[in-house]
Amino acid sequence: AQTVTQSQPEMSVQEAETVTLSCTYDTSENNYYLFWYKQPPSRQMILVIRQEAYKQQNATENRFSVNFQKAAKSFSLKISDSQLGDTAMYFCAFMGDSNYQLIWGAGTKLIIKP
Amino acid sequence: ETGVTQSPTHLIKTRGQQVTLRCSSQSGHNTVSWYQQALGQGPQFIFQYYREEENGRGNFPPRFSGLQFPNYSSELNVNALELDDSALYLCASSFRTSYNEQFFGPGTRLTVL
């Protein structure tokens, strides 16, 4: 069975700093997708970034980038130039190529301080 | 383009009652997934519907059931509510051909007393 682990329950950084959130996963599948979702207090889950396992190049979306290490089964999220609006819960999630359900980590609460 | 909507926003039920939650998928999306998110935890997959049939189910008992309608909207029904059913219920829609792009609604907060 696939599992997703986020080992940082909470992180706090100053505005404009760079922060990295960690995620590890376990799977026996060779092809799969990895995601970072943001859940602000409004509760709506918002996709931040997505990585396809067969792509070696790390995904980037503006200030958000990932460090995908397939052999180590590691998928960290880096937020550059952090902004107050980045304050939220961040969830790492996995989806195998053989089914359509998302498997989620427990989340990391990120607080950006002014 | 209309996003995923869910109703109601909040509701309170008592143990043993039944509840129905509703989800309207994003325009054109034909697949709907439901997730349960307990307080302080990540979501857990309940089930997915495609072409009005259940297409995958997580580790939830049969008292959790669902429907999908011809317009792709969906319902989640929970019978014999238990205190542990208190959670945020999230609905996500997607195209079948791009199933890894799931778009989420704002959720329904269910409290069971």
Side-chain angles (χ1 to χ4, degrees):
Chain A
Q2 294 94 347
T3 58
V4 177
T5 303
Q6 294 178 250
S7 58
Q8 304 153 311
E10 184 170 324
M11 296 189 70
S12 178
V13 298
Q14 295 293 137
E15 193 176 7
E17 289 185 344
T18 295
V19 60
T20 299
L21 308 184
S22 300
C23 173
T24 59
Y25 60 95
D26 191 25
T27 183
S28 57
E29 297 193 39
N30 190 50
N31 197 30
Y32 47 87
Y33 301 87
L34 294 163
F35 307 84
W36 278 98
Y37 279 89
K38 169 185 178 181
Q39 188 176 42
S42 66
R43 309 181 322 199
Q44 185 138 13
M45 206 65 84
I46 301 165
L47 178 64
V48 174
I49 200 165
R50 177 180 57 188
Q51 175 80 40
E52 298 173 61
Y54 66 87
K55 290 186 177 179
Q56 292 189 342
Q57 186 172 6
N58 290 323
T60 299
E61 289 287 343
N62 302 313
R63 299 183 294 108
F64 300 88
S65 61
V66 298
N67 182 5
F68 173 48
Q69 302 289 328
K70 190 172 184 179
K73 295 180 180 174
S74 170
F75 182 62
S76 61
L77 173 70
K78 185 173 82 171
I79 306 174
S80 302
D81 186 27
S82 57
Q83 301 174 0
L84 297 179
D86 295 333
T87 293
M89 285 293 295
Y90 285 80
F91 290 95
C92 177
F94 169 99
M95 180 184 285
D97 204 30
S98 60
N99 65 53
Y100 310 124
Q101 61 172 284
L102 285 163
I103 309 297
W104 302 77
T108 296
K109 183 177 182 180
L110 176 64
I111 300 170
I112 309 299
K113 296 179 290 187
Chain B
E1 183 178 272
T2 305
V4 180
T5 61
Q6 292 185 243
S7 62
T9 304
H10 301 89
L11 76 165
I12 299 173
K13 292 284 188 178
T14 56
R15 195 170 46 183
Q17 285 188 312
Q18 178 266 342
V19 68
T20 298
L21 311 182
R22 295 178 175 82
C23 171
S24 292
S25 59
Q26 186 163 314
S27 178
H29 286 181
N30 55 15
T31 302
V32 174
S33 302
W34 286 92
Y35 295 85
Q36 180 196 65
Q37 185 179 15
L39 192 63
Q41 299 182 23
Q44 288 193 308
F45 175 74
I46 303 174
F47 44 54
Q48 183 183 85
Y49 276 82
Y50 171 63
R51 286 188 175 178
E52 302 177 46
E53 292 189 359
E54 188 179 289
N55 179 52
R57 186 181 186 93
N59 189 27
F60 280 82
R63 58 189 187 85
F64 285 78
S65 63
L67 287 172
Q68 187 181 32
F69 301 99
N71 67 354
Y72 306 131
S73 65
S74 177
E75 286 182 356
L76 164 65
N77 299 290
V78 187
N79 293 322
L81 284 167
E82 300 177 359
L83 297 180
D84 285 348
D85 295 334
S86 293
L88 180 67
Y89 288 85
L90 297 168
C91 167
S93 73
S94 60
F95 288 111
R96 184 64 172 180
T97 51
S98 55
Y99 55 87
N100 57 79
E101 294 186 74
Q102 296 191 7
F103 294 84
F104 284 81
T108 294
R109 170 73 68 190
L110 171 64
T111 301
V112 182
L113 301 177

